[in-house]
Amino acid sequence: MAARALRAGGAASASGFLRRASPGSLLPGLRKLTSSNNRPREDSWLKSLFVRKVDPRKDAHSNLLAKKETSSLYKLQFHNVKPECLEAYNKICREVLPKIHEDKHYPCTLVGTWNTWYGEQDQAVHLWRYDGGYPALTEVMSKLKENQEFSEFRKARSNMLLSRKNQLLLEFSFWNEPIPRSGPNVYELRSYQLRPGTMIEWGNYWARAIRFRQDGNEAVGGFFSQIGQLYMVHHLWAYKDLQTREDIRNAAWHKHGWEELVYYTVLLIQEMESRIMVPQKTSPLQ
């Protein structure tokens, strides 16, 4: 009897306590305890979803990817010509551009000049190299303003064009130096718009991939943009003809490792374009 009384008294006491301390009155304390214990962990987990880790590199892409032994800057020009003016445009380019190329007064070199054959039609493409980088570019532009023949050339050219654009480029350290070559050749300019932030990855993969494409001496030059459309990469190739191009590209797929490099670089590309070009008679790249 005494034991039952004690149990009953204890139950009644507990019941009274539970009635006084309702569930709602206990929850704030529990919430506070739970929140204070788990908040740092939750914040850390959420941040891991939305905050991208910053690469600890301390140098610009241009310094990591470009040739160290030269300070050359390249300018790539795209001129969309009125169809009825293409022949006249080519004629004045053949007359004026080689003079600038050959004049030691200008620290620049005409690397190549072409018309597109397949791709965007009625288009001229010019590639210039400025030996000495941006100071050389500034010097050339300043001197050309005082060149009367060039001023007349620009005026005549402006009446023949539909549109034009250019980009300033650096060359990849692992690519061939674009040097004059004899022909006849057709040239392919493959242009890649990369996803922002992927240029280093592209360079790492292509530093290995270029070894698969040297057998036929088809690699002319590889460049990446600095001014103009950014995260642009241009690869310039030379082939005897279109069938040779097809044969060389197909042969690369039989080399162990090529398919893996293609797979990973494709993931970095937003857009790509191929131009087949024929050189002008005065182009150093024939």
Side-chain angles (χ1 to χ4, degrees):
M1 292 290 292
R4 283 200 297 270
L6 284 172
R7 284 198 296 270
S13 176
S15 176
F17 171 78
L18 289 173
R19 279 197 300 270
R20 289 193 299 272
S22 64
S25 67
L26 291 173
L27 281 176
L30 291 173
R31 285 197 204 101
K32 185 175 182 181
L33 181 62
T34 302
S35 176
S36 62
N37 286 342
N38 292 342
R39 179 66 65 188
R41 184 179 299 175
E42 289 175 0
D43 287 350
S44 176
W45 180 78
L46 287 170
K47 286 179 181 179
S48 71
L49 291 178
F50 301 109
V51 179
R52 185 171 181 265
K53 291 184 178 180
V54 177
D55 195 317
R57 287 190 302 267
K58 301 297 183 183
D59 212 347
H61 290 172
S62 56
N63 293 332
L64 294 170
L65 294 171
K67 280 188 168 70
K68 298 291 191 301
E69 63 273 17
T70 66
S71 56
S72 295
L73 180 72
Y74 291 80
K75 179 168 71 175
L76 184 61
Q77 299 175 301
F78 299 99
H79 290 175
N80 293 315
V81 185
K82 296 175 182 177
E84 67 274 15
C85 296
L86 186 59
E87 185 175 344
Y89 172 91
N90 288 338
K91 182 176 183 294
I92 63 172
C93 285
R94 289 195 298 266
E95 291 172 352
V96 176
L97 299 188
K99 293 180 181 179
I100 300 171
H101 168 74
E102 295 165 1
D103 192 338
K104 303 302 181 184
H105 187 61
Y106 299 100
C108 64
T109 303
L110 180 62
V111 177
T113 175
W114 304 267
N115 288 140
T116 54
W117 185 18
Y118 292 103
E120 196 162 352
Q121 297 293 284
D122 303 308
Q123 185 179 71
V125 180
H126 310 290
L127 181 62
W128 293 87
R129 177 171 55 233
Y130 297 87
D131 300 315
Y134 291 104
L137 172 67
T138 302
E139 181 182 348
V140 170
M141 295 298 101
S142 178
K143 289 179 176 178
L144 285 177
K145 288 180 181 179
E146 302 173 2
N147 186 322
Q148 185 62 35
E149 183 181 18
F150 187 76
S151 296
E152 293 173 0
F153 162 76
R154 282 177 56 90
K155 184 177 180 180
R157 185 187 67 182
S158 66
N159 295 323
M160 303 177 185
L161 297 181
L162 293 170
S163 64
R164 60 193 179 104
K165 68 175 183 179
N166 58 29
Q167 296 173 0
L168 294 181
L169 316 169
L170 295 176
E171 71 181 306
F172 284 110
S173 60
F174 47 85
W175 264 80
N176 301 8
E177 183 81 18
I179 58 176
R181 64 172 67 197
S182 57
N185 294 293
V186 295
Y187 290 80
E188 181 177 21
L189 182 65
R190 296 179 70 87
S191 301
Y192 305 90
Q193 177 68 62
L194 302 187
R195 292 190 293 109
T198 61
M199 187 65 74
I200 293 292
E201 291 177 76
W202 180 274
N204 287 337
Y205 286 125
W206 264 97
R208 289 179 284 159
I210 191 63
R211 294 177 293 148
F212 294 94
R213 298 295 309 276
Q214 297 283 13
D215 293 347
N217 194 33
E218 69 268 22
V220 178
F223 314 91
F224 59 100
S225 62
Q226 288 290 284
I227 295 178
Q229 192 168 348
L230 298 179
Y231 284 95
M232 283 294 298
V233 169
H234 300 283
H235 292 174
L236 183 60
W237 309 90
Y239 304 100
K240 180 182 177 182
D241 50 41
L242 291 180
Q243 185 58 54
T244 302
R245 170 188 176 273
E246 183 75 2
D247 294 342
I248 289 175
R249 288 178 56 81
N250 286 340
W253 289 98
H254 297 286
K255 299 175 181 179
H256 178 69
W258 172 253
E259 72 285 350
E260 180 184 356
L261 292 168
V262 171
Y263 172 82
Y264 285 113
T265 53
V266 164
L267 300 176
L268 310 178
I269 300 171
Q270 284 187 333
E271 186 177 344
M272 58 190 295
E273 181 179 6
S274 170
R275 292 176 175 84
I276 300 297
M277 310 182 301
V278 292
Q280 294 238 35
K281 295 177 180 178
T282 52
S283 176
L285 286 170
Q286 285 294 310

